[in-house]
Amino acid sequence: MDCPKAHLVLRNANVITLELRHPRARTIYIQGGRILKVSSKDISRDQAGPGTRVIDCAGKTVIPAFHDAHCHIPAYAESLLNTDVGPASVSSIEDMVVRVKEAAAALPAGSWIRCAGYNEFYLNEKRHPTRHDLDRATTAHPVKLTHRSGHAHVLNSPALALAGLDNESEEPPGGMIERDLETGHPNGLLYGMGNYLAQRIAPAGDNELDAAMTRAGRVLLSLGITMVQDASPGNDMARWSRFIEWKRKGLFAPRVVMMFGAVELDSLQGRQPFYDKATGLGSGAVKIMIDEVRGSLNPPQQDLNRLAADIHRRRLQAALHAVEETTVEAAALALEHALREAPLKGHRHRLEHCSVCTPAMARRLARMGAGVVTNPAFIYFSGERYLSEAPPYQLKSLYAINTMLEAGVRVAAGSDAPVANPDPLKGIYAAVTRRAATGQVVTPGEAISALDALKLYTINAAYSCFREKQTGSIAKGKWADLVILNGDPLQVNPEELKHLKVEMTVMDGEVVYSEAI
Ligand SMILES: [Zn+2]
C-alpha cells in the first residue's frame, strides 16, 4: 500500500491532544499543513522517509497552538511603537512628564508622541493626567496618552487643537469631554472617543504600522499563538483590505479572523463566517459595543434588540461587548429577543468579556446557546485593583468562569491585547489559581482545572469562530499548529504555570518560532 510520508515528525513527546478518546500521545506525523497521524507508539519507518525532518522532543510537552479569541491586532502592533507609561514604567504623573520629555527630545517638533498603558489607579496622584500636565512636557509636539483600557485618552494642547476640540465642541455619541471648571475648555481628558480621535488625528504612518505588524506577529508566535480573532469595533472594509495586504505581503504571520463592526452590516450580506487557509484570513462575528454612559445604556435596549435581531436574521454571528452586570443583562435580553423572533440552533452568538456573570445569568446564557469570550489574564494583570475597587456583589461574580462552565456555557479566552499582555500562559495561570501578579487571590471559588483552562485558549477558541473541525486539538486531518512547552501544564504545581515557556511553535506544519534560534 502506498503510504504517505510525513515531512515533519515530532517524536518522543508528551502530547496533550485535547481529544477525549486519546488524550495523550507520543508521536505526531505532519504532512504539508496538516496532521497526518497521531500515535502512542514511537516513530514508524512507514511514515518517515529520507526527506522527513524529525524533531526529538525529549519528553517535552506538546499541546495545540494557542488561539486568542479576542484581541485588537493593529492597536497591539501600534502599542509596540508607543512610549510605555504603564504601571511597570511610571509610578506618578511626574514620571510620565519625564518620559514624554525624553520622547520629545528624540523627535522633531510637530511629530506625534504616543504613550500608552497609563492607569490612574497606580499613579501616586490617584487621578488622570490632564493637558496641563502634558503641556509641561512639551507644547512643540502633539501628545496622545491612551489609558490601559483603551476607553480614555488624554491630549496635550497642540493635540486637542489638531483634533479640533475646543470650548465649542460637542460630545460625539457615547463620548465625554472633561472640561476646566472656570473656562469650559477641554482639560484634555476624553472618554469613549477612541474612534473619534482615530478619524481626526494622524495614526502611525503606513510603513511604521507595517513594521509594527510584523513585530507583533513575531511576538505572538513566540508566545505560541498561531491564530487570533480581531475584535475591533471599528473594523470595516478598509481595515479588511489592510489585513488582506498584510497577509498577502507576509507581514503578519498568525492566522487572522477579523470581526466586522456593526456599521458594515449591510456590506456583509450573505457572508457567513469563513476562513481561507490559502490567505490565512477569514471573517468572523459582527461586533456590537454595549456600554453605559452616564448611567444610560448605549445603544438603548430597543436599538440593541433591533441590531441583534438584524444580525441574527442574516444568519451572521453576533459578538456583544458587555462588561458590567447591566450591559451583560442588556446583551442577554437582546439575544433572547432575537431568538424568540427566529429560533435557531448553532448560532454561536457570543458575549465578549462578560466580566460580571451571576449563576442565574450563566444559566440563561447556556439555555439560549450563547458563548462567552472572557479574559482570565485580567485577574493576573489587574486583580489587586479589582479587590480594592469592585463592590462585593461584583467581586462575587467577577470572571465567574467556573460558574459559566458548570452552567454549560462554552467559554473561550482572549487577551484583549493591547489592553493586557497577550501571553496565554498568564491567563491559564490566573484561571487556575485566581492569583494576580501581586499574589492576591480574586474570587477563588471560580478557579478551574488546568485542562479546562487550556481549552479556553485552544479548542473553545476555535469553536467560538466555527473552526473546531480544523484546529484547537491534535488529531488526524487538523491543521498542524502545535506548541512545545518546557513543562506539562496538567502536571506541574499550579504556581509553576506562570513560569512555563514556549520553546517552539509550529504553524501550518512549519517551525515558525524556536527558542534556540
Ligand atoms: Zn476588546
Side-chain angles (χ1 to χ4, degrees):
M1 199 183 87
D2 196 16
C3 198
K5 302 267 190 239
H7 86 268
L8 176 67
V9 176
L10 269 60
R11 69 175 291 205
N12 207 3
N14 167 35
V15 184
I16 300 172
T17 65
L18 299 185
E19 287 286 313
L20 262 180
R21 293 203 298 162
H22 309 284
R24 296 272 175 169
R26 197 167 164 203
T27 310
I28 305 171
Y29 299 86
I30 295 159
Q31 191 196 41
R34 292 188 192 268
I35 296 170
L36 191 62
K37 188 181 166 187
V38 185
S39 169
S40 56
K41 299 198 182 77
D42 197 5
I43 190 163
S44 113
R45 305 239 167 269
D46 290 357
Q47 278 173 319
T52 305
R53 177 178 176 190
V54 179
I55 295 174
D56 186 338
C57 298
K60 285 187 176 146
T61 300
V62 177
I63 60 168
F66 294 124
H67 178 156
D68 192 327
H70 179 130
C71 54
H72 307 275
I73 293 301
Y76 172 61
E78 270 200 70
S79 77
L80 300 176
L81 300 169
N82 290 334
T83 300
D84 178 23
V85 288
S89 314
V90 305
S91 50
S92 66
I93 290 175
E94 282 318 302
D95 288 353
M96 219 181 263
V97 170
V98 171
R99 297 301 298 267
V100 176
K101 260 189 193 154
E102 285 166 2
L107 287 168
S111 31
W112 276 89
I113 297 171
R114 297 180 213 94
C115 307
Y118 93 88
N119 188 337
E120 77 289 359
F121 177 82
Y122 295 96
L123 297 172
N124 292 342
E125 295 87 351
K126 297 276 175 211
R127 64 168 175 88
H128 293 268
T130 65
R131 80 183 152 93
H132 306 290
D133 299 311
L134 297 180
D135 286 351
R136 283 194 288 120
T138 177
T139 47
H141 307 74
V143 180
K144 178 184 167 192
L145 206 65
T146 304
H147 190 265
R148 180 153 162 181
S149 67
H151 297 307
H153 295 85
V154 187
L155 304 186
N156 72 345
S157 296
L160 280 171
L162 286 169
L165 292 169
D166 56 29
N167 293 28
E168 319 276 280
S169 304
E170 281 183 26
E171 290 170 342
M176 196 165 118
I177 303 172
E178 276 221 349
R179 294 169 194 276
D180 288 332
L181 279 177
E182 284 109 66
T183 61
H185 196 86
N187 75 358
L189 178 57
L190 310 167
Y191 293 100
M193 289 178 60
N195 284 343
Y196 178 95
L197 292 177
Q199 286 160 14
R200 280 164 187 81
I201 58 184
D206 279 358
N207 289 342
E208 221 184 340
L209 188 56
D210 284 356
M213 285 296 285
T214 301
R215 235 174 97 195
R218 288 203 192 112
V219 175
L220 296 172
L221 292 178
S222 76
L223 297 171
I225 300 167
T226 59
M227 188 156 185
V228 295
Q229 296 180 51
D230 190 283
S232 312
N235 277 348
D236 54 8
M237 285 299 168
R239 181 42 67 80
W240 177 250
S241 304
R242 289 289 276 149
F243 265 114
I244 290 175
E245 202 185 313
W246 286 321
K247 294 302 292 183
R248 197 183 295 139
K249 291 185 180 162
L251 294 173
F252 184 77
R255 307 174 192 274
V256 178
V257 166
M258 190 189 98
M259 296 185 202
F260 277 91
V263 283
E264 285 291 354
L265 196 48
D266 282 332
S267 18
L268 295 174
Q269 197 64 32
R271 179 181 186 151
Q272 307 305 320
F274 78 98
Y275 177 82
D276 175 24
K277 196 166 183 280
T279 54
L281 180 64
S283 86
V286 180
K287 178 89 183 279
I288 307 176
M289 292 293 291
I290 314 172
D291 43 28
E292 262 190 306
V293 180
R294 294 194 185 111
S296 58
L297 202 61
N298 177 49
Q301 188 73 50
Q302 260 191 352
D303 296 359
L304 186 58
N305 288 358
R306 209 173 308 128
L307 190 53
D310 194 2
I311 294 170
H312 179 70
R313 238 180 282 119
R314 295 176 201 233
R315 296 286 174 105
L316 294 166
Q317 182 191 20
L320 300 97
H321 164 108
V323 175
E324 313 81 359
E325 199 172 2
T326 43
T327 47
V328 169
E329 170 70 25
L333 283 173
L335 287 180
E336 281 161 349
H337 166 83
L339 286 160
R340 218 171 15 249
E341 214 179 57
L344 177 72
K345 285 217 185 315
H347 52 74
R348 302 199 195 177
H349 298 315
R350 47 194 256 190
L351 268 64
E352 308 297 304
H353 313 297
C354 196
S355 310
V356 180
C357 186
T358 62
M361 177 54 73
R363 287 192 294 274
R364 265 169 82 187
L365 295 176
R367 214 175 302 132
M368 71 178 100
V372 165
V373 176
T374 195
N375 321 95
F378 284 7
I379 295 167
Y380 183 79
F381 293 108
S382 303
E384 71 286 5
R385 182 164 61 81
Y386 299 145
L387 287 173
S388 90
E389 285 185 349
Y393 78 91
Q394 262 183 17
L395 262 183
K396 212 170 70 189
S397 302
L398 196 67
Y399 298 105
I401 302 172
N402 189 44
T403 297
M404 292 192 268
L405 289 178
E406 282 197 338
V409 179
R410 286 268 193 167
V411 185
S415 67
D416 210 16
V419 176
N421 181 296
D423 183 358
L425 286 161
K426 298 294 186 289
I428 289 172
Y429 167 77
V432 173
T433 64
R434 303 293 296 188
R435 270 184 204 280
T438 51
Q440 280 155 290
V441 180
V442 182
T443 324
E446 292 296 343
I448 60 171
S449 71
L451 178 63
D452 281 340
L454 198 53
K455 287 181 182 170
L456 303 184
Y457 288 89
T458 51
I459 190 70
N460 293 8
Y463 183 90
S464 74
C465 67
F466 297 90
R467 292 280 81 84
E468 77 280 6
K469 289 204 174 72
Q470 290 84 28
T471 186
S473 67
I474 300 176
K476 183 180 171 178
K478 282 198 159 184
W479 298 338
D481 286 16
L482 309 162
V483 159
I484 301 181
L485 290 178
N486 66 347
D488 183 334
L490 308 188
Q491 303 288 337
V492 297
N493 178 322
E495 267 313 303
E496 290 304 307
L497 286 168
K498 66 177 171 193
H499 300 304
L500 287 185
K501 284 239 154 10
V502 169
E503 293 197 346
M504 187 182 277
T505 306
V506 173
M507 180 180 141
D508 222 13
E510 302 294 333
V511 176
V512 287
Y513 166 78
S514 170
E515 202 186 38
I517 297 167

